C-alpha cells in the first residue's frame, strides 16, 4: 500500500486540530506552518475533510478550521477515504468488484485480505489516539515485531 502525501498531510492537520482546546479554530497558515504542509495543498485537503464532515470552517477574526466531530470518533480509515477514496482499489474498482478468469480468481481474495488487514489497523486508530501519542494495544503489538520494521 502507498500512503499518499494527501493522506499524510490530512492526518497531520487533524492531529494539529485535535491538540487544540475543544472548539478552538486554527487558521490554515498556522496548521501548515506547524506541520510543514504547503498552504495550497492544505486548503484542498481541508475542503475534502469538510465535505466528509470531519472539519468545519469558521469565518471572522477568530476564524479558521476546527474538528466537526469528536477526534475519538474519526479514524485513520475515515481520513484516508475522505481524501483518497477506498483503502484498496484495483484499476479504480473495489476488490469485490474486480473479476478475473478462473486461473487468476484467487487474486481477488488477496485484495480482499489486504483490505481486511488495513482495516484492522486503520479503523482502530483515531485522531484522538494520534494526538495523544498513544495507539491501541492491538495496533502497538504489530510494531513490536522486529520484522515489521525491516524494509523489503
Amino acid at each position: 500500500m502507498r500512503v499518499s502525501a494527501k493522506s499524510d498531510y490530512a492526518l497531520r492537520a487533524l492531529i494539529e486540530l485535535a491538540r487544540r482546546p475543544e472548539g478552538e479554530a486554527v487558521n490554515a497558515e498556522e496548521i501548515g506552518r506547524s506541520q510543514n504542509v504547503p498552504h495550497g495543498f492544505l486548503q484542498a485537503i481541508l475542503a475534502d475533510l469538510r465535505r466528509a464532515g470531519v472539519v468545519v470552517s469558521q469565518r471572522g477574526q477568530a476564524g479558521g478550521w476546527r474538528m466537526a466531530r469528536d477526534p475519538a470518533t474519526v479514524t485513520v480509515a475515515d481520513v484516508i477515504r475522505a481524501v483518497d477514496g477506498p483503502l484498496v482499489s484495483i484499476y479504480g474498482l473495489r476488490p469485490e468488484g474486480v473479476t478475473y478468469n478462473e486461473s487468476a480468481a484467487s487474486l481477488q481474495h488477496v485484495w480482499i485480505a489486504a483490505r481486511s488487514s488495513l482495516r484492522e489497523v486503520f479503523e482502530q486508530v483515531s485522531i484522538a489516539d494520534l494526538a495523544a501519542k498513544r495507539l491501541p494495544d492491538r495496533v502497538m503489538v504489530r510494531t513490536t515485531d522486529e520484522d515489521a520494521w525491516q524494509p523489503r
Side-chain angles (χ1 to χ4, degrees):
M1 170 192 189
R2 184 181 76 74
V3 176
S4 72
K6 196 172 184 182
S7 286
D8 181 64
Y9 289 163
L11 289 161
R12 289 165 43 196
L14 292 174
I15 291 168
E16 194 64 35
L17 292 177
R19 295 182 64 218
R20 303 301 173 114
E22 188 176 335
E24 180 182 300
V26 183
N27 67 45
E29 291 82 13
E30 187 174 342
I31 296 168
R33 229 182 355 265
S34 65
Q35 291 296 326
N36 199 27
V37 177
H39 180 70
F41 203 21
L42 180 59
Q43 289 287 35
I45 290 166
L46 290 168
D48 287 341
L49 293 171
R50 180 180 55 221
R51 279 188 290 283
V54 176
V55 298
V56 293
S57 60
Q58 181 177 314
R59 295 185 187 266
Q61 189 167 356
W65 296 89
R66 59 184 172 78
M67 297 293 299
R69 296 171 31 201
D70 179 347
T73 69
V74 180
T75 67
V76 169
D78 295 332
V79 176
I80 292 171
R81 288 178 185 123
V83 300
D84 278 331
L87 296 179
V88 173
S89 67
I90 300 89
Y91 305 113
L93 299 172
R94 293 175 188 267
E96 66 278 7
V98 176
T99 56
Y100 294 104
N101 66 26
E102 188 177 324
S103 66
S106 60
L107 191 53
Q108 182 181 38
H109 291 265
V110 171
W111 305 142
I112 297 289
R115 179 176 62 184
S116 176
S117 189
L118 288 172
R119 284 176 175 169
E120 270 186 52
V121 174
F122 293 165
E123 291 180 350
Q124 298 298 314
V125 179
S126 73
I127 298 303
D129 294 331
L130 294 170
K133 299 178 186 171
R134 69 171 195 284
L135 297 177
D137 291 340
R138 288 178 58 188
V139 173
M140 277 303 296
V141 73
R142 291 175 175 269
T143 69
T144 61
D145 179 2
E146 177 107 6
D147 189 56
W149 292 88
Q150 300 306 313
R152 292 196 190 145

